[in-house]
Amino acid sequence: MPLQEDNAQVGERSNWHTEEHAKINKRLTTIEGEFDLPPYHPDKVPVIILQLRSFRSLLRVHFENEEKNGLQCEFPAIYPRLVSGLNRLEAQHSELLEHLDLTIQLVADSLGPFELDTARRAFKIFVVELRHHEDGEVRSHSERFLRRHRGL
């Protein structure tokens, strides 16, 4: 019976992650759309900065929740071999936030279309890195669920 409860808890965490990632991806799409709207206009810069800062807050809270409740919950005791991968995922949280901070600064420093395009490209790279990170989280949750399901 405890295995069923554990599977239910893992399922709940997986659902939470799915919902969180959907929120994150929706915000990313909105920001990408703002960057992609032509032409350059100085009034566009504060709007993008506001969206990026708001997104950063959402992402920071998401990472804090993962670190507190999600990624490493019971891994060390049950699946010690998975811990190093989880440590790498958690270390990426601060790296991703730093990359986003640099992108926000690039937008803030944008004096024209060339600079804003540089910031847009930095944001696109950030999005790729974040999605790669999210894929790692999903793989980690899937592996944990499969190991529990198989009784490993």
Side-chain angles (χ1 to χ4, degrees):
M1 195 61 105
L3 184 60
Q4 288 177 343
E5 292 172 350
D6 291 339
N7 282 338
Q9 290 171 347
V10 171
E12 287 174 23
R13 281 193 204 107
S14 180
N15 289 340
W16 176 82
H17 260 132
T18 300
E19 291 169 8
E20 284 287 301
H21 288 178
K23 280 195 299 191
I24 287 168
N25 286 318
K26 183 177 179 181
R27 295 286 290 278
L28 288 173
T29 300
T30 299
I31 297 168
E32 285 175 315
E34 197 65 48
F35 268 115
D36 291 340
L37 283 176
Y40 170 82
H41 192 279
D43 292 344
K44 186 178 187 176
V45 171
V47 171
I48 294 173
I49 291 171
L50 184 64
Q51 288 180 351
L52 287 170
R53 286 182 177 155
S54 174
F55 177 72
R56 189 197 188 285
S57 295
L58 172 78
L59 194 58
R60 180 186 49 77
V61 169
H62 170 77
F63 288 159
E64 287 172 356
N65 284 333
E66 284 181 339
E67 291 167 11
K68 180 180 174 189
N69 302 313
L71 286 179
Q72 296 232 16
C73 263
E74 72 243 7
F75 273 94
I78 301 173
Y79 309 119
R81 291 188 318 238
L82 302 179
V83 172
S84 66
L86 292 168
N87 288 337
R88 278 193 302 278
L89 284 171
E90 279 193 7
Q92 289 174 1
H93 291 171
S94 62
E95 294 168 7
L96 286 163
L97 291 173
E98 287 173 13
H99 188 155
L100 187 54
D101 288 339
L102 290 172
T103 302
I104 292 168
Q105 191 58 51
L106 283 171
V107 174
D109 293 343
S110 293
L111 301 174
F114 177 76
E115 292 88 357
L116 190 59
D117 189 57
T118 299
R120 181 188 63 78
R121 283 183 273 133
F123 181 71
K124 297 269 186 195
I125 292 168
F126 165 79
V127 170
V128 168
E129 291 173 354
L130 180 61
R131 290 198 170 130
H132 179 74
H133 172 81
E134 289 176 344
D135 289 346
E137 290 177 350
V138 169
R139 280 191 306 273
S140 139
H141 285 285
S142 297
E143 185 170 351
R144 177 172 62 180
F145 183 79
L146 288 172
R147 285 177 179 266
R148 281 189 176 266
H149 185 70
R150 292 177 184 154
L152 301 174

